[in-house]
Amino acid sequence: MKKIKALSLLSALTLSTFAFADVTIKVPDTIEILNANGEKASLDGGFFSATKDLTLPDGENQVVFRYKPYFDRGDDRQTSESYAVITKFNAADTELTFELPKYRNQKEAERDIKSFEWALIDQSGKAIEVKKDNLIKEGMQIGRDFPQEVREYNRTGGIAAVAIAGAAVPVTLPAIQNQPEGEAIPASASAAEEMLHFWYEKADAETKARFKAFVNQQ
């Protein structure tokens, strides 16, 4: 009997772990997900569902979306459209929902949607911290290559950019003392100094102190 209870408890814990192993965003039908972590997004839910699920891994995520509220006028449906929004956030083992403005009519939406305020709300009802920006492309908007646009955005380091694997680490070189004016710095010396500066910034306080003591003895 004890073994059965233990197995039941282990099974419950395992199912609980799997149930909350990712981040799920509840996506209403007024939100169009354009890209998720550099790739085309895949949403779960029926074709006619008012809300679908976007499942993301725990940790840092980057999502591109549009807000597209619609208004029914008789048999017609009129839609307003925001800029493509790019956002970066950190979350784990939670379910998030969009908090979006409600417009009374299309005229109000067209007036305010280019600067609309929104948030991602967690299960406790609190807005999580997000970095957000508009992913703007001039000219024709049809057939946009969002994976390429996101790569370029990240490369140029926008507000909501994420680190690119293999990208070079920017290093600021200190001024070189006693360098004769007009004389070129040898490439080998420049590279060595760059590496010294890089590793010095990575070191802890104790290591920096030992390095300074060593330099002062020279």
Side-chain angles (χ1 to χ4, degrees), residues 148-165:
Q148 177 58 35
E149 288 187 40
V150 169
R151 284 193 293 271
E152 181 63 18
Y153 180 88
N154 289 332
R155 188 188 67 79
T156 55
I159 297 170
V162 298
I164 303 173

Side-chain angles (χ1 to χ4, degrees), residues 19-26 54-59 61 89-97 120-126 128:
F20 295 97
D22 296 300
V23 176
T24 300
I25 302 180
K26 293 293 183 180
L54 173 63
T55 303
L56 301 169
D58 288 341
N61 285 285
F89 58 89
N90 266 289
D93 298 340
T94 190
E95 183 178 279
L96 303 173
T97 57
L120 286 174
I121 308 299
D122 64 18
Q123 290 168 297
S124 66
K126 295 181 180 179
I128 67 169

